[in-house]
Amino acid sequence: MKTKTFVRGWFGGLTIAILIGSGPAFAADLTLARYIDLSIARLELSKQAWTSTRQPPTRAAMAGLFAEYGIEESDYLIYTSAHREAIAGYLSAHPDARQRIDGLSADISGAIAE
């Protein structure tokens, strides 16, 4: 569980947030299957944004998506890095998820190229 500690120092009004307790336990509820679901939802959000506005999704939209899964984007990136082999194995065992990810990625690339 993350704890945020706010420190006010000689910086004047500048507040610094220090995250304590990040690491593998940050998202105990984020299973491999939920990670893949989030990855697909993230790509769907990106596709929708690129095809409708020709821009990436807003930070607020992405933050809202990650919040639905109880994590922050940094948690997602840490999970990605820490579980690369398991993710690859899951996608090999679930070709439908792999195809969905590849299809969305191709759609996004096409929308960006237009």
Side-chain angles (χ1 to χ4, degrees), residues 36 39-41 43-45 47 91 94-107:
I36 298 299
S39 297
I40 291 170
L43 288 168
E44 288 171 341
L45 179 62
K47 177 185 172 184
L91 292 173
H94 297 87
D96 54 326
R98 165 52 70 194
Q99 289 173 344
R100 182 75 178 132
I101 289 170
D102 290 346
L104 286 165
S105 297
D107 291 345

mmCIF file of all heavy atoms in Angstrom, residues 36 39-41 43-45 47 91 94-107:
data_model
loop_
_atom_site.group_PDB
_atom_site.id
_atom_site.type_symbol
_atom_site.label_atom_id
_atom_site.label_comp_id
_atom_site.label_asym_id
_atom_site.label_seq_id
_atom_site.Cartn_x
_atom_site.Cartn_y
_atom_site.Cartn_z
ATOM 1 N N ILE A 36 -3.834 -7.641 -18.272
ATOM 2 C CA ILE A 36 -4.145 -7.736 -19.701
ATOM 3 C C ILE A 36 -5.436 -6.991 -20.015
ATOM 4 O O ILE A 36 -5.519 -6.244 -21.007
ATOM 5 C CB ILE A 36 -4.227 -9.209 -20.161
ATOM 6 C CG1 ILE A 36 -2.875 -9.918 -19.972
ATOM 7 C CG2 ILE A 36 -4.717 -9.306 -21.607
ATOM 8 C CD1 ILE A 36 -1.707 -9.336 -20.753
ATOM 9 N N SER A 39 -4.597 -3.418 -20.031
ATOM 10 C CA SER A 39 -3.826 -3.095 -21.240
ATOM 11 C C SER A 39 -4.750 -2.912 -22.438
ATOM 12 O O SER A 39 -4.594 -1.974 -23.229
ATOM 13 C CB SER A 39 -2.797 -4.189 -21.537
ATOM 14 O OG SER A 39 -1.854 -4.274 -20.498
ATOM 15 N N ILE A 40 -5.724 -3.793 -22.571
ATOM 16 C CA ILE A 40 -6.684 -3.696 -23.677
ATOM 17 C C ILE A 40 -7.546 -2.446 -23.512
ATOM 18 O O ILE A 40 -7.754 -1.704 -24.483
ATOM 19 C CB ILE A 40 -7.526 -4.981 -23.778
ATOM 20 C CG1 ILE A 40 -6.631 -6.135 -24.256
ATOM 21 C CG2 ILE A 40 -8.721 -4.789 -24.707
ATOM 22 C CD1 ILE A 40 -7.261 -7.507 -24.181
ATOM 23 N N ALA A 41 -8.005 -2.175 -22.303
ATOM 24 C CA ALA A 41 -8.805 -0.971 -22.058
ATOM 25 C C ALA A 41 -7.996 0.291 -22.352
ATOM 26 O O ALA A 41 -8.516 1.267 -22.915
ATOM 27 C CB ALA A 41 -9.305 -0.954 -20.613
ATOM 28 N N LEU A 43 -5.532 0.536 -24.524
ATOM 29 C CA LEU A 43 -5.434 0.649 -25.979
ATOM 30 C C LEU A 43 -6.756 1.106 -26.595
ATOM 31 O O LEU A 43 -6.758 1.907 -27.542
ATOM 32 C CB LEU A 43 -5.006 -0.695 -26.577
ATOM 33 C CG LEU A 43 -3.547 -1.078 -26.336
ATOM 34 C CD1 LEU A 43 -3.318 -2.537 -26.713
ATOM 35 C CD2 LEU A 43 -2.607 -0.158 -27.091
ATOM 36 N N GLU A 44 -7.875 0.628 -26.070
ATOM 37 C CA GLU A 44 -9.182 1.064 -26.578
ATOM 38 C C GLU A 44 -9.375 2.562 -26.347
ATOM 39 O O GLU A 44 -9.877 3.269 -27.224
ATOM 40 C CB GLU A 44 -10.302 0.271 -25.920
ATOM 41 C CG GLU A 44 -10.374 -1.163 -26.415
ATOM 42 C CD GLU A 44 -11.334 -2.041 -25.635
ATOM 43 O OE1 GLU A 44 -11.695 -1.697 -24.491
ATOM 44 O OE2 GLU A 44 -11.699 -3.103 -26.189
ATOM 45 N N LEU A 45 -8.972 3.042 -25.171
ATOM 46 C CA LEU A 45 -9.055 4.468 -24.885
ATOM 47 C C LEU A 45 -8.170 5.269 -25.837
ATOM 48 O O LEU A 45 -8.582 6.309 -26.371
ATOM 49 C CB LEU A 45 -8.659 4.732 -23.426
ATOM 50 C CG LEU A 45 -8.665 6.188 -22.967
ATOM 51 C CD1 LEU A 45 -10.066 6.787 -23.066
ATOM 52 C CD2 LEU A 45 -8.136 6.284 -21.540
ATOM 53 N N LYS A 47 -7.170 4.329 -28.858
ATOM 54 C CA LYS A 47 -7.760 4.263 -30.199
ATOM 55 C C LYS A 47 -8.891 5.271 -30.341
ATOM 56 O O LYS A 47 -8.959 6.008 -31.323
ATOM 57 C CB LYS A 47 -8.269 2.856 -30.490
ATOM 58 C CG LYS A 47 -8.959 2.739 -31.840
ATOM 59 C CD LYS A 47 -9.571 1.366 -32.054
ATOM 60 C CE LYS A 47 -10.411 1.363 -33.321
ATOM 61 N NZ LYS A 47 -11.092 0.082 -33.517
ATOM 62 N N LEU A 91 0.071 -14.158 -22.981
ATOM 63 C CA LEU A 91 -0.388 -13.826 -24.336
ATOM 64 C C LEU A 91 -0.194 -14.997 -25.298
ATOM 65 O O LEU A 91 -0.998 -15.180 -26.218
ATOM 66 C CB LEU A 91 0.301 -12.561 -24.842
ATOM 67 C CG LEU A 91 -0.102 -11.282 -24.096
ATOM 68 C CD1 LEU A 91 0.760 -10.111 -24.553
ATOM 69 C CD2 LEU A 91 -1.579 -10.981 -24.278
ATOM 70 N N HIS A 94 -3.117 -17.212 -24.615
ATOM 71 C CA HIS A 94 -4.405 -16.564 -24.890
ATOM 72 C C HIS A 94 -4.309 -15.772 -26.193
ATOM 73 O O HIS A 94 -4.223 -14.542 -26.194
ATOM 74 C CB HIS A 94 -4.802 -15.641 -23.734
ATOM 75 C CG HIS A 94 -5.017 -16.365 -22.452
ATOM 76 N ND1 HIS A 94 -3.989 -16.636 -21.569
ATOM 77 C CD2 HIS A 94 -6.135 -16.908 -21.909
ATOM 78 C CE1 HIS A 94 -4.470 -17.291 -20.534
ATOM 79 N NE2 HIS A 94 -5.767 -17.481 -20.716
ATOM 80 N N PRO A 95 -4.322 -16.485 -27.336
ATOM 81 C CA PRO A 95 -4.140 -15.803 -28.623
ATOM 82 C C PRO A 95 -5.224 -14.772 -28.913
ATOM 83 O O PRO A 95 -4.960 -13.804 -29.646
ATOM 84 C CB PRO A 95 -4.146 -16.937 -29.644
ATOM 85 C CG PRO A 95 -4.724 -18.115 -28.944
ATOM 86 C CD PRO A 95 -4.489 -17.919 -27.486
ATOM 87 N N ASP A 96 -6.418 -14.929 -28.341
ATOM 88 C CA ASP A 96 -7.462 -13.932 -28.556
ATOM 89 C C ASP A 96 -7.068 -12.586 -27.956
ATOM 90 O O ASP A 96 -7.287 -11.530 -28.571
ATOM 91 C CB ASP A 96 -8.794 -14.412 -27.975
ATOM 92 C CG ASP A 96 -8.691 -14.801 -26.508
ATOM 93 O OD1 ASP A 96 -7.639 -15.327 -26.077
ATOM 94 O OD2 ASP A 96 -9.681 -14.579 -25.775
ATOM 95 N N ALA A 97 -6.456 -12.606 -26.786
ATOM 96 C CA ALA A 97 -5.985 -11.363 -26.162
ATOM 97 C C ALA A 97 -4.850 -10.769 -26.990
ATOM 98 O O ALA A 97 -4.809 -9.554 -27.220
ATOM 99 C CB ALA A 97 -5.536 -11.614 -24.729
ATOM 100 N N ARG A 98 -3.928 -11.618 -27.455
ATOM 101 C CA ARG A 98 -2.812 -11.151 -28.287
ATOM 102 C C ARG A 98 -3.340 -10.504 -29.562
ATOM 103 O O ARG A 98 -2.893 -9.440 -29.969
ATOM 104 C CB ARG A 98 -1.887 -12.327 -28.613
ATOM 105 C CG ARG A 98 -0.892 -12.105 -29.737
ATOM 106 C CD ARG A 98 -0.036 -10.872 -29.618
ATOM 107 N NE ARG A 98 0.920 -10.981 -28.560
ATOM 108 C CZ ARG A 98 1.594 -9.929 -28.087
ATOM 109 N NH1 ARG A 98 1.429 -8.738 -28.595
ATOM 110 N NH2 ARG A 98 2.441 -10.083 -27.110
ATOM 111 N N GLN A 99 -4.316 -11.141 -30.203
ATOM 112 C CA GLN A 99 -4.896 -10.589 -31.440
ATOM 113 C C GLN A 99 -5.591 -9.259 -31.177
ATOM 114 O O GLN A 99 -5.492 -8.338 -31.987
ATOM 115 C CB GLN A 99 -5.863 -11.586 -32.060
ATOM 116 C CG GLN A 99 -5.185 -12.793 -32.654
ATOM 117 C CD GLN A 99 -6.168 -13.866 -33.111
ATOM 118 O OE1 GLN A 99 -7.328 -13.872 -32.741
ATOM 119 N NE2 GLN A 99 -5.661 -14.798 -33.920
ATOM 120 N N ARG A 100 -6.290 -9.161 -30.056
ATOM 121 C CA ARG A 100 -6.977 -7.905 -29.715
ATOM 122 C C ARG A 100 -5.965 -6.790 -29.517
ATOM 123 O O ARG A 100 -6.146 -5.678 -30.014
ATOM 124 C CB ARG A 100 -7.827 -8.104 -28.449
ATOM 125 C CG ARG A 100 -8.605 -6.887 -28.054
ATOM 126 C CD ARG A 100 -9.811 -6.689 -28.981
ATOM 127 N NE ARG A 100 -10.562 -5.530 -28.546
ATOM 128 C CZ ARG A 100 -10.971 -4.570 -29.362
ATOM 129 N NH1 ARG A 100 -10.746 -4.655 -30.657
ATOM 130 N NH2 ARG A 100 -11.623 -3.547 -28.900
ATOM 131 N N ILE A 101 -4.893 -7.068 -28.799
ATOM 132 C CA ILE A 101 -3.840 -6.077 -28.565
ATOM 133 C C ILE A 101 -3.184 -5.682 -29.877
ATOM 134 O O ILE A 101 -2.991 -4.493 -30.156
ATOM 135 C CB ILE A 101 -2.809 -6.609 -27.548
ATOM 136 C CG1 ILE A 101 -3.455 -6.643 -26.154
ATOM 137 C CG2 ILE A 101 -1.537 -5.771 -27.546
ATOM 138 C CD1 ILE A 101 -2.634 -7.368 -25.102
ATOM 139 N N ASP A 102 -2.850 -6.660 -30.705
ATOM 140 C CA ASP A 102 -2.213 -6.364 -31.997
ATOM 141 C C ASP A 102 -3.141 -5.554 -32.893
ATOM 142 O O ASP A 102 -2.698 -4.616 -33.561
ATOM 143 C CB ASP A 102 -1.795 -7.659 -32.694
ATOM 144 C CG ASP A 102 -0.638 -8.354 -31.991
ATOM 145 O OD1 ASP A 102 0.026 -7.730 -31.138
ATOM 146 O OD2 ASP A 102 -0.413 -9.549 -32.298
ATOM 147 N N GLY A 103 -4.425 -5.907 -32.906
ATOM 148 C CA GLY A 103 -5.390 -5.175 -33.735
ATOM 149 C C GLY A 103 -5.560 -3.738 -33.283
ATOM 150 O O GLY A 103 -5.568 -2.806 -34.109
ATOM 151 N N LEU A 104 -5.695 -3.540 -31.979
ATOM 152 C CA LEU A 104 -5.825 -2.172 -31.459
ATOM 153 C C LEU A 104 -4.560 -1.362 -31.725
ATOM 154 O O LEU A 104 -4.633 -0.186 -32.109
ATOM 155 C CB LEU A 104 -6.126 -2.206 -29.962
ATOM 156 C CG LEU A 104 -7.544 -2.620 -29.577
ATOM 157 C CD1 LEU A 104 -7.621 -2.974 -28.108
ATOM 158 C CD2 LEU A 104 -8.547 -1.537 -29.948
ATOM 159 N N SER A 105 -3.412 -1.985 -31.546
ATOM 160 C CA SER A 105 -2.143 -1.296 -31.811
ATOM 161 C C SER A 105 -2.052 -0.869 -33.276
ATOM 162 O O SER A 105 -1.612 0.249 -33.566
ATOM 163 C CB SER A 105 -0.953 -2.194 -31.441
ATOM 164 O OG SER A 105 -0.961 -2.468 -30.058
ATOM 165 N N ALA A 106 -2.461 -1.740 -34.177
ATOM 166 C CA ALA A 106 -2.454 -1.410 -35.612
ATOM 167 C C ALA A 106 -3.436 -0.281 -35.905
ATOM 168 O O ALA A 106 -3.114 0.640 -36.685
ATOM 169 C CB ALA A 106 -2.783 -2.642 -36.441
ATOM 170 N N ASP A 107 -4.608 -0.325 -35.286
ATOM 171 C CA ASP A 107 -5.597 0.746 -35.481
ATOM 172 C C ASP A 107 -5.058 2.090 -35.005
ATOM 173 O O ASP A 107 -5.255 3.109 -35.670
ATOM 174 C CB ASP A 107 -6.896 0.424 -34.734
ATOM 175 C CG ASP A 107 -7.656 -0.743 -35.321
ATOM 176 O OD1 ASP A 107 -7.363 -1.161 -36.471
ATOM 177 O OD2 ASP A 107 -8.544 -1.261 -34.607
#
